[in-house]
Amino acid sequence: MEHPYLLLTSVFGVFGLEEWAASHPHVTYMWLAMIILIFFGWLAGKSISLVPETAQNVFEVLISGMEEFVVSITGEEGRKSYPLLITIFLFVLVGNLMGLVPSLYPPTASVNTTMALALIAVGWSHVVGIWHHGFKYIKHFLGPVPLMIPLFLPIELIAHTARVLSLTFRLFGNMMGHELVVLILLMLGGMFLAPLPVMAMGVFVALVQAFVFFLLSTMYIAGAIEEAH
Amino acid sequence: MKKETGKTIRELGYFASLGMSVALSIFIGLGLGLWLDKKFDTNPVLMFVGLLLGIVAGFSNIIRAGKKGKKY
């Protein structure tokens, strides 16, 4: 289903790139999300002081609250992974919320974006595992009994691939479904503000999906840090 | 965030994602079996092996979640 009107596609049309921008809306809108996030980061860090004021207060509560939450799951070793996790959370949140603004397209409603995020999150959890356990990390994949290694290895590999796919499809499916429902309701009864209740629910969905993505990435990192079973 | 609420949210997220990982494990196993069948030209054998491995992987997820649930 085609989006009726995309703002950034018209903006790129000024530079003669309309065809490319129309076929890659997730790329252009991801840049927009990045610009928004960099702007907020600049805003928060502009006048940093020991006694926080207005904007710095909000960001400090958000960032340090999430940090304590992550550390309560992963233990003290997980603090090093926190910058990646909070970046994923904020990016997915901004990406999801962009779907609620007319003429914007949520970059997370494309399977390309979510697959990239899921690969980064799960890949990083393995890097943390190797970093933490060294060569012994392979024990996570071999099961408890040496005799059953040929059985356990493929099973564990399948289970770890399923993590990537479940992260990918949960976020993609939710955001794409939301976008589709809003578009269909807009087409059927746009004059009577039919999509409004769904958009109100979209705020909740955006927040929950961003949090679930962040939470599951944290738990995969926690699973890589803990000892093999 | 309070400690008790954080724990509840964490468990909620973990157990809610369980069903999807079971279904996806089965499909990954099946897909892997079908792909290997095409590669080695051994038609239905590897598909069934892959399907079985996928089902076992899915159920091992459930068993592991059960063990984890007992710990809390």
Side-chain angles (χ1 to χ4, degrees), chain A residues 66 69 73 89 92-93 96 171 205-218, chain B residues 1 6 9-10 13:
Chain A
M66 289 302 236
F69 182 65
I73 294 175
F89 175 70
V92 172
L93 184 65
N96 287 350
L171 186 57
V205 171
L207 193 66
V208 166
Q209 288 309 315
F211 190 73
V212 163
F213 200 104
F214 158 78
L215 182 70
L216 285 175
S217 323
T218 313
Chain B
M1 203 181 288
I9 291 172
R10 185 194 337 164

mmCIF file with all atom_site columns, all heavy atoms in Angstrom, chain A residues 66 69 73 89 92-93 96 171 205-218, chain B residues 1 6 9-10 13:
data_model
loop_
_atom_site.group_PDB
_atom_site.id
_atom_site.type_symbol
_atom_site.label_atom_id
_atom_site.label_alt_id
_atom_site.label_comp_id
_atom_site.label_asym_id
_atom_site.label_entity_id
_atom_site.label_seq_id
_atom_site.pdbx_PDB_ins_code
_atom_site.Cartn_x
_atom_site.Cartn_y
_atom_site.Cartn_z
_atom_site.occupancy
_atom_site.B_iso_or_equiv
_atom_site.pdbx_formal_charge
_atom_site.auth_seq_id
_atom_site.auth_comp_id
_atom_site.auth_asym_id
_atom_site.auth_atom_id
_atom_site.pdbx_PDB_model_num
ATOM 1   N N   . MET A 1 66  ? 17.262 4.646   33.321 1.00 0.00 ? 66  MET A N   1
ATOM 2   C CA  . MET A 1 66  ? 17.432 3.483   32.451 1.00 0.00 ? 66  MET A CA  1
ATOM 3   C C   . MET A 1 66  ? 18.741 2.760   32.770 1.00 0.00 ? 66  MET A C   1
ATOM 4   O O   . MET A 1 66  ? 18.806 1.538   32.696 1.00 0.00 ? 66  MET A O   1
ATOM 5   C CB  . MET A 1 66  ? 17.446 3.933   30.985 1.00 0.00 ? 66  MET A CB  1
ATOM 6   C CG  . MET A 1 66  ? 16.113 4.377   30.487 1.00 0.00 ? 66  MET A CG  1
ATOM 7   S SD  . MET A 1 66  ? 14.881 3.109   30.648 1.00 0.00 ? 66  MET A SD  1
ATOM 8   C CE  . MET A 1 66  ? 14.316 2.979   29.001 1.00 0.00 ? 66  MET A CE  1
ATOM 9   N N   . PHE A 1 69  ? 18.243 0.545   35.652 1.00 0.00 ? 69  PHE A N   1
ATOM 10  C CA  . PHE A 1 69  ? 17.418 -0.590  35.246 1.00 0.00 ? 69  PHE A CA  1
ATOM 11  C C   . PHE A 1 69  ? 18.252 -1.645  34.523 1.00 0.00 ? 69  PHE A C   1
ATOM 12  O O   . PHE A 1 69  ? 18.149 -2.841  34.810 1.00 0.00 ? 69  PHE A O   1
ATOM 13  C CB  . PHE A 1 69  ? 16.284 -0.086  34.353 1.00 0.00 ? 69  PHE A CB  1
ATOM 14  C CG  . PHE A 1 69  ? 15.336 -1.153  33.911 1.00 0.00 ? 69  PHE A CG  1
ATOM 15  C CD1 . PHE A 1 69  ? 14.552 -1.811  34.838 1.00 0.00 ? 69  PHE A CD1 1
ATOM 16  C CD2 . PHE A 1 69  ? 15.231 -1.504  32.583 1.00 0.00 ? 69  PHE A CD2 1
ATOM 17  C CE1 . PHE A 1 69  ? 13.670 -2.796  34.444 1.00 0.00 ? 69  PHE A CE1 1
ATOM 18  C CE2 . PHE A 1 69  ? 14.365 -2.495  32.186 1.00 0.00 ? 69  PHE A CE2 1
ATOM 19  C CZ  . PHE A 1 69  ? 13.580 -3.134  33.122 1.00 0.00 ? 69  PHE A CZ  1
ATOM 20  N N   . ILE A 1 73  ? 19.555 -5.700  35.723 1.00 0.00 ? 73  ILE A N   1
ATOM 21  C CA  . ILE A 1 73  ? 19.347 -6.948  34.979 1.00 0.00 ? 73  ILE A CA  1
ATOM 22  C C   . ILE A 1 73  ? 20.673 -7.642  34.710 1.00 0.00 ? 73  ILE A C   1
ATOM 23  O O   . ILE A 1 73  ? 20.821 -8.834  34.932 1.00 0.00 ? 73  ILE A O   1
ATOM 24  C CB  . ILE A 1 73  ? 18.619 -6.669  33.649 1.00 0.00 ? 73  ILE A CB  1
ATOM 25  C CG1 . ILE A 1 73  ? 17.207 -6.177  33.920 1.00 0.00 ? 73  ILE A CG1 1
ATOM 26  C CG2 . ILE A 1 73  ? 18.549 -7.926  32.805 1.00 0.00 ? 73  ILE A CG2 1
ATOM 27  C CD1 . ILE A 1 73  ? 16.460 -5.777  32.683 1.00 0.00 ? 73  ILE A CD1 1
ATOM 28  N N   . PHE A 1 89  ? 17.101 2.125   22.187 1.00 0.00 ? 89  PHE A N   1
ATOM 29  C CA  . PHE A 1 89  ? 15.795 2.494   22.737 1.00 0.00 ? 89  PHE A CA  1
ATOM 30  C C   . PHE A 1 89  ? 15.318 3.835   22.191 1.00 0.00 ? 89  PHE A C   1
ATOM 31  O O   . PHE A 1 89  ? 14.194 3.954   21.698 1.00 0.00 ? 89  PHE A O   1
ATOM 32  C CB  . PHE A 1 89  ? 15.880 2.549   24.267 1.00 0.00 ? 89  PHE A CB  1
ATOM 33  C CG  . PHE A 1 89  ? 14.634 3.041   24.923 1.00 0.00 ? 89  PHE A CG  1
ATOM 34  C CD1 . PHE A 1 89  ? 13.490 2.267   24.924 1.00 0.00 ? 89  PHE A CD1 1
ATOM 35  C CD2 . PHE A 1 89  ? 14.592 4.275   25.538 1.00 0.00 ? 89  PHE A CD2 1
ATOM 36  C CE1 . PHE A 1 89  ? 12.337 2.714   25.518 1.00 0.00 ? 89  PHE A CE1 1
ATOM 37  C CE2 . PHE A 1 89  ? 13.437 4.731   26.133 1.00 0.00 ? 89  PHE A CE2 1
ATOM 38  C CZ  . PHE A 1 89  ? 12.314 3.947   26.121 1.00 0.00 ? 89  PHE A CZ  1
ATOM 39  N N   . VAL A 1 92  ? 14.551 3.674   18.343 1.00 0.00 ? 92  VAL A N   1
ATOM 40  C CA  . VAL A 1 92  ? 13.311 2.972   18.015 1.00 0.00 ? 92  VAL A CA  1
ATOM 41  C C   . VAL A 1 92  ? 12.115 3.797   18.470 1.00 0.00 ? 92  VAL A C   1
ATOM 42  O O   . VAL A 1 92  ? 11.099 3.876   17.777 1.00 0.00 ? 92  VAL A O   1
ATOM 43  C CB  . VAL A 1 92  ? 13.311 1.565   18.658 1.00 0.00 ? 92  VAL A CB  1
ATOM 44  C CG1 . VAL A 1 92  ? 11.970 0.903   18.486 1.00 0.00 ? 92  VAL A CG1 1
ATOM 45  C CG2 . VAL A 1 92  ? 14.377 0.713   18.043 1.00 0.00 ? 92  VAL A CG2 1
ATOM 46  N N   . LEU A 1 93  ? 12.236 4.443   19.630 1.00 0.00 ? 93  LEU A N   1
ATOM 47  C CA  . LEU A 1 93  ? 11.124 5.261   20.134 1.00 0.00 ? 93  LEU A CA  1
ATOM 48  C C   . LEU A 1 93  ? 10.831 6.416   19.184 1.00 0.00 ? 93  LEU A C   1
ATOM 49  O O   . LEU A 1 93  ? 9.679  6.645   18.800 1.00 0.00 ? 93  LEU A O   1
ATOM 50  C CB  . LEU A 1 93  ? 11.459 5.784   21.531 1.00 0.00 ? 93  LEU A CB  1
ATOM 51  C CG  . LEU A 1 93  ? 10.361 6.577   22.210 1.00 0.00 ? 93  LEU A CG  1
ATOM 52  C CD1 . LEU A 1 93  ? 9.170  5.688   22.483 1.00 0.00 ? 93  LEU A CD1 1
ATOM 53  C CD2 . LEU A 1 93  ? 10.847 7.171   23.505 1.00 0.00 ? 93  LEU A CD2 1
ATOM 54  N N   . ASN A 1 96  ? 9.344  5.071   15.973 1.00 0.00 ? 96  ASN A N   1
ATOM 55  C CA  . ASN A 1 96  ? 7.947  4.666   16.097 1.00 0.00 ? 96  ASN A CA  1
ATOM 56  C C   . ASN A 1 96  ? 7.025  5.869   16.172 1.00 0.00 ? 96  ASN A C   1
ATOM 57  O O   . ASN A 1 96  ? 5.968  5.884   15.550 1.00 0.00 ? 96  ASN A O   1
ATOM 58  C CB  . ASN A 1 96  ? 7.758  3.832   17.362 1.00 0.00 ? 96  ASN A CB  1
ATOM 59  C CG  . ASN A 1 96  ? 8.352  2.453   17.230 1.00 0.00 ? 96  ASN A CG  1
ATOM 60  O OD1 . ASN A 1 96  ? 8.744  2.060   16.149 1.00 0.00 ? 96  ASN A OD1 1
ATOM 61  N ND2 . ASN A 1 96  ? 8.407  1.732   18.311 1.00 0.00 ? 96  ASN A ND2 1
ATOM 62  N N   . LEU A 1 171 ? 8.860  -5.937  15.993 1.00 0.00 ? 171 LEU A N   1
ATOM 63  C CA  . LEU A 1 171 ? 8.836  -4.493  15.774 1.00 0.00 ? 171 LEU A CA  1
ATOM 64  C C   . LEU A 1 171 ? 8.264  -4.151  14.401 1.00 0.00 ? 171 LEU A C   1
ATOM 65  O O   . LEU A 1 171 ? 7.376  -3.304  14.272 1.00 0.00 ? 171 LEU A O   1
ATOM 66  C CB  . LEU A 1 171 ? 10.251 -3.935  15.919 1.00 0.00 ? 171 LEU A CB  1
ATOM 67  C CG  . LEU A 1 171 ? 10.403 -2.442  15.864 1.00 0.00 ? 171 LEU A CG  1
ATOM 68  C CD1 . LEU A 1 171 ? 9.547  -1.801  16.912 1.00 0.00 ? 171 LEU A CD1 1
ATOM 69  C CD2 . LEU A 1 171 ? 11.835 -2.052  16.077 1.00 0.00 ? 171 LEU A CD2 1
ATOM 70  N N   . VAL A 1 205 ? 1.528  1.804   21.693 1.00 0.00 ? 205 VAL A N   1
ATOM 71  C CA  . VAL A 1 205 ? 2.237  0.737   20.976 1.00 0.00 ? 205 VAL A CA  1
ATOM 72  C C   . VAL A 1 205 ? 3.688  1.134   20.722 1.00 0.00 ? 205 VAL A C   1
ATOM 73  O O   . VAL A 1 205 ? 4.612  0.338   20.918 1.00 0.00 ? 205 VAL A O   1
ATOM 74  C CB  . VAL A 1 205 ? 1.522  0.406   19.651 1.00 0.00 ? 205 VAL A CB  1
ATOM 75  C CG1 . VAL A 1 205 ? 2.355  -0.529  18.797 1.00 0.00 ? 205 VAL A CG1 1
ATOM 76  C CG2 . VAL A 1 205 ? 0.177  -0.222  19.925 1.00 0.00 ? 205 VAL A CG2 1
ATOM 77  N N   . ALA A 1 206 ? 3.896  2.395   20.322 1.00 0.00 ? 206 ALA A N   1
ATOM 78  C CA  . ALA A 1 206 ? 5.255  2.856   20.023 1.00 0.00 ? 206 ALA A CA  1
ATOM 79  C C   . ALA A 1 206 ? 6.142  2.746   21.250 1.00 0.00 ? 206 ALA A C   1
ATOM 80  O O   . ALA A 1 206 ? 7.274  2.247   21.182 1.00 0.00 ? 206 ALA A O   1
ATOM 81  C CB  . ALA A 1 206 ? 5.212  4.306   19.533 1.00 0.00 ? 206 ALA A CB  1
ATOM 82  N N   . LEU A 1 207 ? 5.604  3.184   22.388 1.00 0.00 ? 207 LEU A N   1
ATOM 83  C CA  . LEU A 1 207 ? 6.390  3.152   23.623 1.00 0.00 ? 207 LEU A CA  1
ATOM 84  C C   . LEU A 1 207 ? 6.694  1.712   24.039 1.00 0.00 ? 207 LEU A C   1
ATOM 85  O O   . LEU A 1 207 ? 7.839  1.363   24.349 1.00 0.00 ? 207 LEU A O   1
ATOM 86  C CB  . LEU A 1 207 ? 5.613  3.872   24.728 1.00 0.00 ? 207 LEU A CB  1
ATOM 87  C CG  . LEU A 1 207 ? 6.405  4.193   25.981 1.00 0.00 ? 207 LEU A CG  1
ATOM 88  C CD1 . LEU A 1 207 ? 7.464  5.206   25.638 1.00 0.00 ? 207 LEU A CD1 1
ATOM 89  C CD2 . LEU A 1 207 ? 5.487  4.722   27.053 1.00 0.00 ? 207 LEU A CD2 1
ATOM 90  N N   . VAL A 1 208 ? 5.648  0.855   24.004 1.00 0.00 ? 208 VAL A N   1
ATOM 91  C CA  . VAL A 1 208 ? 5.829  -0.530  24.461 1.00 0.00 ? 208 VAL A CA  1
ATOM 92  C C   . VAL A 1 208 ? 6.797  -1.274  23.563 1.00 0.00 ? 208 VAL A C   1
ATOM 93  O O   . VAL A 1 208 ? 7.674  -2.003  24.042 1.00 0.00 ? 208 VAL A O   1
ATOM 94  C CB  . VAL A 1 208 ? 4.464  -1.245  24.535 1.00 0.00 ? 208 VAL A CB  1
ATOM 95  C CG1 . VAL A 1 208 ? 4.648  -2.735  24.662 1.00 0.00 ? 208 VAL A CG1 1
ATOM 96  C CG2 . VAL A 1 208 ? 3.665  -0.722  25.690 1.00 0.00 ? 208 VAL A CG2 1
ATOM 97  N N   . GLN A 1 209 ? 6.674  -1.082  22.237 1.00 0.00 ? 209 GLN A N   1
ATOM 98  C CA  . GLN A 1 209 ? 7.552  -1.829  21.331 1.00 0.00 ? 209 GLN A CA  1
ATOM 99  C C   . GLN A 1 209 ? 9.002  -1.374  21.481 1.00 0.00 ? 209 GLN A C   1
ATOM 100 O O   . GLN A 1 209 ? 9.922  -2.193  21.456 1.00 0.00 ? 209 GLN A O   1
ATOM 101 C CB  . GLN A 1 209 ? 7.097  -1.664  19.883 1.00 0.00 ? 209 GLN A CB  1
ATOM 102 C CG  . GLN A 1 209 ? 5.815  -2.400  19.574 1.00 0.00 ? 209 GLN A CG  1
ATOM 103 C CD  . GLN A 1 209 ? 5.851  -3.838  20.007 1.00 0.00 ? 209 GLN A CD  1
ATOM 104 O OE1 . GLN A 1 209 ? 6.831  -4.538  19.785 1.00 0.00 ? 209 GLN A OE1 1
ATOM 105 N NE2 . GLN A 1 209 ? 4.790  -4.299  20.645 1.00 0.00 ? 209 GLN A NE2 1
ATOM 106 N N   . ALA A 1 210 ? 9.205  -0.070  21.649 1.00 0.00 ? 210 ALA A N   1
ATOM 107 C CA  . ALA A 1 210 ? 10.580 0.408   21.859 1.00 0.00 ? 210 ALA A CA  1
ATOM 108 C C   . ALA A 1 210 ? 11.137 -0.191  23.140 1.00 0.00 ? 210 ALA A C   1
ATOM 109 O O   . ALA A 1 210 ? 12.285 -0.646  23.189 1.00 0.00 ? 210 ALA A O   1
ATOM 110 C CB  . ALA A 1 210 ? 10.605 1.930   21.924 1.00 0.00 ? 210 ALA A CB  1
ATOM 111 N N   . PHE A 1 211 ? 10.308 -0.233  24.189 1.00 0.00 ? 211 PHE A N   1
ATOM 112 C CA  . PHE A 1 211 ? 10.795 -0.754  25.462 1.00 0.00 ? 211 PHE A CA  1
ATOM 113 C C   . PHE A 1 211 ? 11.073 -2.250  25.383 1.00 0.00 ? 211 PHE A C   1
ATOM 114 O O   . PHE A 1 211 ? 12.063 -2.733  25.944 1.00 0.00 ? 211 PHE A O   1
ATOM 115 C CB  . PHE A 1 211 ? 9.782  -0.452  26.572 1.00 0.00 ? 211 PHE A CB  1
ATOM 116 C CG  . PHE A 1 211 ? 10.314 -0.738  27.925 1.00 0.00 ? 211 PHE A CG  1
ATOM 117 C CD1 . PHE A 1 211 ? 11.257 0.112   28.477 1.00 0.00 ? 211 PHE A CD1 1
ATOM 118 C CD2 . PHE A 1 211 ? 9.920  -1.850  28.622 1.00 0.00 ? 211 PHE A CD2 1
ATOM 119 C CE1 . PHE A 1 211 ? 11.784 -0.155  29.716 1.00 0.00 ? 211 PHE A CE1 1
ATOM 120 C CE2 . PHE A 1 211 ? 10.440 -2.118  29.868 1.00 0.00 ? 211 PHE A CE2 1
ATOM 121 C CZ  . PHE A 1 211 ? 11.376 -1.269  30.417 1.00 0.00 ? 211 PHE A CZ  1
ATOM 122 N N   . VAL A 1 212 ? 10.191 -2.997  24.671 1.00 0.00 ? 212 VAL A N   1
ATOM 123 C CA  . VAL A 1 212 ? 10.395 -4.441  24.574 1.00 0.00 ? 212 VAL A CA  1
ATOM 124 C C   . VAL A 1 212 ? 11.671 -4.750  23.805 1.00 0.00 ? 212 VAL A C   1
ATOM 125 O O   . VAL A 1 212 ? 12.449 -5.639  24.193 1.00 0.00 ? 212 VAL A O   1
ATOM 126 C CB  . VAL A 1 212 ? 9.162  -5.106  23.920 1.00 0.00 ? 212 VAL A CB  1
ATOM 127 C CG1 . VAL A 1 212 ? 9.491  -6.497  23.436 1.00 0.00 ? 212 VAL A CG1 1
ATOM 128 C CG2 . VAL A 1 212 ? 8.022  -5.163  24.901 1.00 0.00 ? 212 VAL A CG2 1
ATOM 129 N N   . PHE A 1 213 ? 11.911 -3.996  22.728 1.00 0.00 ? 213 PHE A N   1
ATOM 130 C CA  . PHE A 1 213 ? 13.141 -4.214  21.949 1.00 0.00 ? 213 PHE A CA  1
ATOM 131 C C   . PHE A 1 213 ? 14.371 -3.989  22.828 1.00 0.00 ? 213 PHE A C   1
ATOM 132 O O   . PHE A 1 213 ? 15.303 -4.790  22.851 1.00 0.00 ? 213 PHE A O   1
ATOM 133 C CB  . PHE A 1 213 ? 13.154 -3.245  20.768 1.00 0.00 ? 213 PHE A CB  1
ATOM 134 C CG  . PHE A 1 213 ? 14.071 -3.655  19.649 1.00 0.00 ? 213 PHE A CG  1
ATOM 135 C CD1 . PHE A 1 213 ? 13.553 -4.201  18.508 1.00 0.00 ? 213 PHE A CD1 1
ATOM 136 C CD2 . PHE A 1 213 ? 15.436 -3.484  19.752 1.00 0.00 ? 213 PHE A CD2 1
ATOM 137 C CE1 . PHE A 1 213 ? 14.389 -4.580  17.476 1.00 0.00 ? 213 PHE A CE1 1
ATOM 138 C CE2 . PHE A 1 213 ? 16.275 -3.866  18.729 1.00 0.00 ? 213 PHE A CE2 1
ATOM 139 C CZ  . PHE A 1 213 ? 15.740 -4.411  17.599 1.00 0.00 ? 213 PHE A CZ  1
ATOM 140 N N   . PHE A 1 214 ? 14.330 -2.896  23.569 1.00 0.00 ? 214 PHE A N   1
ATOM 141 C CA  . PHE A 1 214 ? 15.436 -2.548  24.476 1.00 0.00 ? 214 PHE A CA  1
ATOM 142 C C   . PHE A 1 214 ? 15.598 -3.610  25.562 1.00 0.00 ? 214 PHE A C   1
ATOM 143 O O   . PHE A 1 214 ? 16.708 -4.072  25.849 1.00 0.00 ? 214 PHE A O   1
ATOM 144 C CB  . PHE A 1 214 ? 15.103 -1.180  25.069 1.00 0.00 ? 214 PHE A CB  1
ATOM 145 C CG  . PHE A 1 214 ? 15.782 -0.843  26.360 1.00 0.00 ? 214 PHE A CG  1
ATOM 146 C CD1 . PHE A 1 214 ? 17.095 -0.433  26.375 1.00 0.00 ? 214 PHE A CD1 1
ATOM 147 C CD2 . PHE A 1 214 ? 15.089 -0.927  27.552 1.00 0.00 ? 214 PHE A CD2 1
ATOM 148 C CE1 . PHE A 1 214 ? 17.703 -0.103  27.564 1.00 0.00 ? 214 PHE A CE1 1
ATOM 149 C CE2 . PHE A 1 214 ? 15.692 -0.596  28.733 1.00 0.00 ? 214 PHE A CE2 1
ATOM 150 C CZ  . PHE A 1 214 ? 17.005 -0.196  28.741 1.00 0.00 ? 214 PHE A CZ  1
ATOM 151 N N   . LEU A 1 215 ? 14.457 -4.050  26.139 1.00 0.00 ? 215 LEU A N   1
ATOM 152 C CA  . LEU A 1 215 ? 14.499 -5.018  27.240 1.00 0.00 ? 215 LEU A CA  1
ATOM 153 C C   . LEU A 1 215 ? 15.058 -6.359  26.775 1.00 0.00 ? 215 LEU A C   1
ATOM 154 O O   . LEU A 1 215 ? 15.913 -6.960  27.441 1.00 0.00 ? 215 LEU A O   1
ATOM 155 C CB  . LEU A 1 215 ? 13.084 -5.203  27.794 1.00 0.00 ? 215 LEU A CB  1
ATOM 156 C CG  . LEU A 1 215 ? 12.947 -6.130  28.975 1.00 0.00 ? 215 LEU A CG  1
ATOM 157 C CD1 . LEU A 1 215 ? 13.577 -5.482  30.174 1.00 0.00 ? 215 LEU A CD1 1
ATOM 158 C CD2 . LEU A 1 215 ? 11.500 -6.430  29.247 1.00 0.00 ? 215 LEU A CD2 1
ATOM 159 N N   . LEU A 1 216 ? 14.619 -6.818  25.594 1.00 0.00 ? 216 LEU A N   1
ATOM 160 C CA  . LEU A 1 216 ? 15.095 -8.123  25.128 1.00 0.00 ? 216 LEU A CA  1
ATOM 161 C C   . LEU A 1 216 ? 16.573 -8.067  24.763 1.00 0.00 ? 216 LEU A C   1
ATOM 162 O O   . LEU A 1 216 ? 17.312 -9.018  25.051 1.00 0.00 ? 216 LEU A O   1
ATOM 163 C CB  . LEU A 1 216 ? 14.258 -8.598  23.954 1.00 0.00 ? 216 LEU A CB  1
ATOM 164 C CG  . LEU A 1 216 ? 12.877 -9.096  24.374 1.00 0.00 ? 216 LEU A CG  1
ATOM 165 C CD1 . LEU A 1 216 ? 12.053 -9.428  23.164 1.00 0.00 ? 216 LEU A CD1 1
ATOM 166 C CD2 . LEU A 1 216 ? 12.971 -10.312 25.268 1.00 0.00 ? 216 LEU A CD2 1
ATOM 167 N N   . SER A 1 217 ? 17.022 -6.959  24.165 1.00 0.00 ? 217 SER A N   1
ATOM 168 C CA  . SER A 1 217 ? 18.463 -6.848  23.887 1.00 0.00 ? 217 SER A CA  1
ATOM 169 C C   . SER A 1 217 ? 19.252 -6.899  25.186 1.00 0.00 ? 217 SER A C   1
ATOM 170 O O   . SER A 1 217 ? 20.297 -7.550  25.265 1.00 0.00 ? 217 SER A O   1
ATOM 171 C CB  . SER A 1 217 ? 18.781 -5.540  23.164 1.00 0.00 ? 217 SER A CB  1
ATOM 172 O OG  . SER A 1 217 ? 17.789 -5.205  22.264 1.00 0.00 ? 217 SER A OG  1
ATOM 173 N N   . THR A 1 218 ? 18.732 -6.215  26.225 1.00 0.00 ? 218 THR A N   1
ATOM 174 C CA  . THR A 1 218 ? 19.408 -6.249  27.523 1.00 0.00 ? 218 THR A CA  1
ATOM 175 C C   . THR A 1 218 ? 19.473 -7.669  28.064 1.00 0.00 ? 218 THR A C   1
ATOM 176 O O   . THR A 1 218 ? 20.502 -8.097  28.591 1.00 0.00 ? 218 THR A O   1
ATOM 177 C CB  . THR A 1 218 ? 18.636 -5.368  28.523 1.00 0.00 ? 218 THR A CB  1
ATOM 178 O OG1 . THR A 1 218 ? 18.344 -4.138  27.913 1.00 0.00 ? 218 THR A OG1 1
ATOM 179 C CG2 . THR A 1 218 ? 19.426 -5.141  29.764 1.00 0.00 ? 218 THR A CG2 1
ATOM 180 N N   . MET B 2 1   ? 12.908 3.878   39.078 1.00 0.00 ? 1   MET B N   1
ATOM 181 C CA  . MET B 2 1   ? 11.972 2.746   39.034 1.00 0.00 ? 1   MET B CA  1
ATOM 182 C C   . MET B 2 1   ? 12.171 1.834   40.248 1.00 0.00 ? 1   MET B C   1
ATOM 183 O O   . MET B 2 1   ? 13.296 1.569   40.630 1.00 0.00 ? 1   MET B O   1
ATOM 184 C CB  . MET B 2 1   ? 12.211 1.955   37.749 1.00 0.00 ? 1   MET B CB  1
ATOM 185 C CG  . MET B 2 1   ? 11.005 1.153   37.325 1.00 0.00 ? 1   MET B CG  1
ATOM 186 S SD  . MET B 2 1   ? 11.332 0.224   35.845 1.00 0.00 ? 1   MET B SD  1
ATOM 187 C CE  . MET B 2 1   ? 11.376 1.538   34.642 1.00 0.00 ? 1   MET B CE  1
ATOM 188 N N   . GLY B 2 6   ? 10.401 -3.280  38.327 1.00 0.00 ? 6   GLY B N   1
ATOM 189 C CA  . GLY B 2 6   ? 11.371 -3.606  37.297 1.00 0.00 ? 6   GLY B CA  1
ATOM 190 C C   . GLY B 2 6   ? 11.415 -5.098  37.031 1.00 0.00 ? 6   GLY B C   1
ATOM 191 O O   . GLY B 2 6   ? 11.465 -5.541  35.886 1.00 0.00 ? 6   GLY B O   1
ATOM 192 N N   . ILE B 2 9   ? 8.290  -6.205  35.086 1.00 0.00 ? 9   ILE B N   1
ATOM 193 C CA  . ILE B 2 9   ? 8.346  -5.821  33.672 1.00 0.00 ? 9   ILE B CA  1
ATOM 194 C C   . ILE B 2 9   ? 9.310  -6.732  32.913 1.00 0.00 ? 9   ILE B C   1
ATOM 195 O O   . ILE B 2 9   ? 9.026  -7.184  31.811 1.00 0.00 ? 9   ILE B O   1
ATOM 196 C CB  . ILE B 2 9   ? 8.798  -4.351  33.554 1.00 0.00 ? 9   ILE B CB  1
ATOM 197 C CG1 . ILE B 2 9   ? 7.703  -3.441  34.083 1.00 0.00 ? 9   ILE B CG1 1
ATOM 198 C CG2 . ILE B 2 9   ? 9.111  -4.003  32.121 1.00 0.00 ? 9   ILE B CG2 1
ATOM 199 C CD1 . ILE B 2 9   ? 8.111  -2.007  34.183 1.00 0.00 ? 9   ILE B CD1 1
ATOM 200 N N   . ARG B 2 10  ? 10.432 -7.032  33.572 1.00 0.00 ? 10  ARG B N   1
ATOM 201 C CA  . ARG B 2 10  ? 11.427 -7.886  32.921 1.00 0.00 ? 10  ARG B CA  1
ATOM 202 C C   . ARG B 2 10  ? 10.846 -9.260  32.622 1.00 0.00 ? 10  ARG B C   1
ATOM 203 O O   . ARG B 2 10  ? 10.976 -9.786  31.517 1.00 0.00 ? 10  ARG B O   1
ATOM 204 C CB  . ARG B 2 10  ? 12.628 -8.005  33.859 1.00 0.00 ? 10  ARG B CB  1
ATOM 205 C CG  . ARG B 2 10  ? 13.761 -8.758  33.280 1.00 0.00 ? 10  ARG B CG  1
ATOM 206 C CD  . ARG B 2 10  ? 14.776 -9.136  34.317 1.00 0.00 ? 10  ARG B CD  1
ATOM 207 N NE  . ARG B 2 10  ? 14.754 -8.302  35.513 1.00 0.00 ? 10  ARG B NE  1
ATOM 208 C CZ  . ARG B 2 10  ? 15.352 -8.658  36.644 1.00 0.00 ? 10  ARG B CZ  1
ATOM 209 N NH1 . ARG B 2 10  ? 16.006 -9.791  36.725 1.00 0.00 ? 10  ARG B NH1 1
ATOM 210 N NH2 . ARG B 2 10  ? 15.325 -7.897  37.692 1.00 0.00 ? 10  ARG B NH2 1
ATOM 211 N N   . GLY B 2 13  ? 8.272  -9.114  29.759 1.00 0.00 ? 13  GLY B N   1
ATOM 212 C CA  . GLY B 2 13  ? 8.894  -9.048  28.449 1.00 0.00 ? 13  GLY B CA  1
ATOM 213 C C   . GLY B 2 13  ? 9.445  -10.389 28.015 1.00 0.00 ? 13  GLY B C   1
ATOM 214 O O   . GLY B 2 13  ? 9.279  -10.807 26.874 1.00 0.00 ? 13  GLY B O   1
#
